[in-house]
């Protein structure tokens, strides 16, 4: 009798009681719009921004409607225009090239390395093609951030960091999102804090911050922000910055504030689960784990491994066999985008680009979510199932 897993890969934990209480409070007073405050009141959205800025050590923070909105706002705030080219990762998810398309710009894809980070050689080779890099820390893997910043600084490239999978992560102790000019985070249910939808944007650049706040739809009420530059900075940008509404409301902010206070605890719980899975998959012929560099503080909210240079049929067989036993794996090598696993060549609004080295790696990437509703026992069981099925197919091939 083979063992099966019966848990759900999409079930997150319930919100903490303090968050539920905070939400009830906002609903009881009814002032859900972030600028709807009474005399002397500090709104939940403004407080969230102040607290998150302090948490990551940023001067300014803006809460918005989604992570994707934060990315597009960042591009607008640094001045990306219609028709401009923007460098970005070939291995990422659809909201990233989507944010580039949202401003009418064109993505130029940079290769993924076997460590699942942006290929710095390819980045250096393409550095003359654009003046902005939308860097996606896809699936929480951080590249050598010092080398990346060196390449970009030398080439005059502004870096925007997509930290949808790295909220709580760091490179040599520097919080993810703090090396580039702007860091963008998602507070969507499947990320590291959960408000259903939501995003955060941080920066130390006063004009970028002022523009982002105006863009998000501040109705000239920017003085009600607590993590914003002074009014004189807004004076400089207010007539030329359009309102493209995408604010966060006080209800979402209220449920995020207590979650952010617990982030480090949650990160530790994710990593226990990740390490259980990783240990269970070690030293398996045919399967390559992604080794985490010492400089990286990661958040193991998902795990990836490579079935490098396997035939498409064999990878598909592993995915199907694991699915039969209740283990939901996603494959980035599939010809058609399925669920969230689209690839750079599925985004046909972008000019077709040829990235043979990325094609080889994408064809081998297997990805799995690790929700905190999994116990450590669940993780050990999942690893045993993957191990058995990968060996089975590998030996047969
Ligand atoms: C989720 C995600 C985003 C932002 O997503 P929203 O759903 O708009 O909050 C950005 N980049 C990546 C890689 C993501 O997975």
């Amino acid at each position: 009798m083979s063992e099966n897993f019966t848990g759900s890969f999409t079930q997150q934990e319930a919100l903490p009681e303090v968050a539920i209480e905070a939400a009830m409070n906002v609903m009881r007073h009814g002032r859900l719009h972030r600028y709807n405050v009474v005399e002397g009141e500090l709104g939940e959205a403004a407080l969230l921004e102040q607290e998150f800025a302090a948490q990551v050590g940023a001067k300014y923070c803006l809460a918005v409607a989604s992570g994707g909105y934060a990315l597009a706002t960042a591009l607008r705030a640094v001045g990306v225009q219609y028709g401009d080219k923007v460098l970005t990762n070939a291995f990422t998810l659809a909201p990233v090239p989507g944010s580039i398309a949202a401003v009418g710009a064109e993505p130029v894809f940079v290769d993924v390395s076997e460590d699942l980070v942006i290929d710095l050689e390819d980045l250096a080779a393409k550095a003359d093609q654009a003046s902005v890099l939308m860097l996606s820390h896809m699936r929480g893997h951080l590249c050598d951030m010092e080398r990346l910043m060196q390449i970009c600084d030398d080439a005059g490239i502004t870096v925007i960091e997509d930290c949808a999978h790295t909220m709580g992560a760091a490179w040599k102790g520097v919080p993810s999102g703090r090396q580039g000019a702007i860091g963008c985070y998602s507070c969507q249910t499947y990320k590291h804090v959960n408000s259903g939808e939501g995003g955060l944007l941080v920066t130390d650049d006063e004009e970028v911050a002022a523009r982002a706040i105006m863009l998000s739809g501040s109705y000239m009420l920017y003085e009600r922000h607590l993590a914003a530059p002074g009014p004189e900075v807004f004076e400089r940008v207010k007539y030329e910055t359009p309102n493209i509404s995408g604010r966060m409301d006080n209800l979402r902010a209220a449920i995020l504030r207590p979650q952010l206070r617990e982030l480090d605890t949650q990160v530790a719980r994710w990593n226990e689960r990740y390490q259980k899975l990783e240990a269970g998959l070690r030293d398996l012929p045919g399967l390559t784990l992604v080794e985490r560099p010492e400089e990286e503080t990661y958040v193991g909210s998902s795990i990836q491994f490579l079935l490098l240079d396997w035939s498409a049929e064999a990878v598909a067989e592993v995915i199907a066999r694991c699915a039969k036993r209740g283990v939901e794996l996603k494959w980035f090598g599939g010809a058609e985008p399925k669920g969230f696993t689209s690839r750079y060549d599925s985004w046909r609004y972008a000019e077709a680009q040829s990235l043979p080295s990325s094609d080889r790696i994408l064809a081998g990437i297997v990805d799995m979510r690790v929700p905190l509703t999994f116990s450590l026992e669940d993780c050990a069981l999942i690893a045993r199932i993957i191990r058995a099925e990968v060996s089975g197919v590998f030996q047969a091939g």
Side-chain angles (χ1 to χ4, degrees):
M1 256 294 286
S2 65
E3 22 173 34
N4 288 330
F5 179 65
T6 54
S8 163
F9 282 79
T10 50
Q11 182 63 54
Q12 304 291 33
E13 290 183 301
L15 298 194
E17 282 305 318
V18 273
I20 295 169
E21 205 38 58
M24 296 300 277
N25 198 34
V26 172
M27 290 190 284
R28 286 196 185 102
H29 67 53
R31 293 183 296 279
L32 274 69
H33 191 284
R34 68 166 298 159
Y35 296 124
N36 185 199
V37 286
V38 293
E39 187 66 30
E41 182 186 15
L42 302 175
E44 292 283 343
L47 288 166
L48 167 69
E49 291 163 347
Q50 188 177 48
E51 290 164 2
F52 191 66
Q55 195 165 347
V56 298
K59 281 192 183 156
Y60 312 114
C61 176
L62 172 68
V64 294
S66 73
Y69 181 88
L71 296 177
T73 301
L75 290 166
R76 287 194 179 97
V78 301
V80 173
Q81 305 268 319
Y82 184 87
D84 286 354
K85 291 200 185 312
V86 174
L87 293 159
T88 195
N89 306 59
F91 175 46
T92 185
L93 294 180
V96 178
S99 70
I100 296 170
V103 301
E106 293 170 23
V108 175
F109 296 111
V110 182
D111 271 327
V112 58
S113 75
E114 281 187 30
D115 302 321
L116 303 192
V117 295
I118 194 163
D119 182 323
L120 295 176
E121 301 302 319
D122 196 40
L123 176 65
K126 291 174 175 160
D128 60 349
Q129 294 188 33
S131 57
V132 174
L133 166 66
M134 169 66 76
L135 173 65
S136 184
H137 301 301
M138 177 61 175
R139 283 300 183 246
H141 297 278
L142 293 172
C143 68
D144 180 338
M145 285 302 294
E146 285 162 320
R147 255 200 80 207
L148 176 125
M149 289 309 300
Q150 191 66 57
I151 293 167
C152 291
D153 288 346
D154 289 351
I157 293 173
T158 302
V159 178
I160 297 170
E161 296 182 68
D162 165 27
C163 305
H165 305 161
T166 54
M167 178 188 273
W171 182 263
K172 287 196 174 176
V174 179
S176 184
R178 299 293 298 130
Q179 270 107 345
I182 305 182
C184 298
Y185 308 80
S186 171
C187 309
Q188 194 232 77
T189 298
Y190 300 108
K191 313 300 163 90
H192 300 170
V193 287
N194 177 9
S195 58
E197 303 287 354
L200 291 161
L201 178 159
V202 298
T203 184
D204 284 346
D205 182 311
E206 59 179 23
E207 258 190 49
V208 164
R211 274 192 224 108
I213 291 168
M214 299 287 314
L215 284 162
S216 76
S218 68
Y219 300 113
M220 303 295 169
L221 297 170
Y222 43 77
E223 295 197 40
R224 292 185 197 168
H225 283 250
L226 298 170
E232 70 288 354
V233 184
F234 289 90
E235 287 302 323
R236 298 206 294 269
V237 302
K238 72 183 200 185
Y239 297 108
E240 59 207 35
T241 309
N243 174 330
I244 304 174
S245 284
R247 295 169 302 274
M248 181 180 283
D249 57 87
N250 284 332
L251 186 54
R252 287 190 173 83
I255 64 179
L256 287 171
R257 291 177 61 210
Q259 293 183 63
L260 281 169
R261 290 198 279 275
E262 293 302 316
L263 183 61
D264 289 346
T265 310
Q266 300 294 76
V267 169
R269 294 177 61 220
W270 259 306
N271 290 354
E272 282 178 335
R273 285 156 180 76
Y274 182 94
Q275 282 150 20
K276 222 2 155 212
L277 287 158
E278 190 183 46
L281 297 175
R282 248 193 210 293
D283 302 323
L284 183 57
L287 181 149
T288 311
L289 285 171
V290 182
E291 299 301 340
R292 313 299 304 230
E294 218 177 280
E295 297 91 336
E296 182 194 36
T297 305
Y298 62 90
V299 184
S301 56
S302 69
I303 188 163
Q304 293 71 43
F305 57 83
L306 289 161
L307 301 178
L308 207 51
D309 301 323
W310 284 43
S311 71
E313 295 70 33
V315 181
E317 178 69 16
V318 168
I319 308 283
R321 287 193 190 185
C322 288
K324 252 195 205 145
R325 297 180 63 183
V327 174
E328 223 177 90
L329 301 176
K330 304 285 178 181
W331 179 36
F332 279 84
E336 283 299 311
K338 260 195 207 154
F340 57 80
T341 59
S342 60
R343 308 195 317 183
Y344 74 91
D345 51 359
S346 333
W347 307 319
R348 293 187 199 157
Y349 50 82
E351 198 182 313
Q353 291 162 55
S354 161
L355 297 155
S357 146
S358 293
D359 291 340
R360 169 175 172 257
I361 292 161
L362 286 166
I365 300 177
V366 180
D367 173 56
M368 192 186 93
R369 274 199 186 115
V370 186
L372 285 175
T373 48
F374 288 4
S375 66
L376 295 180
E377 266 319 300
D378 290 338
C379 294
L381 167 62
I382 291 166
R384 285 197 298 277
I385 293 173
I386 297 173
R387 196 172 181 93
E389 300 306 339
V390 168
S391 325
V393 176
F394 189 69
Q395 278 156 17

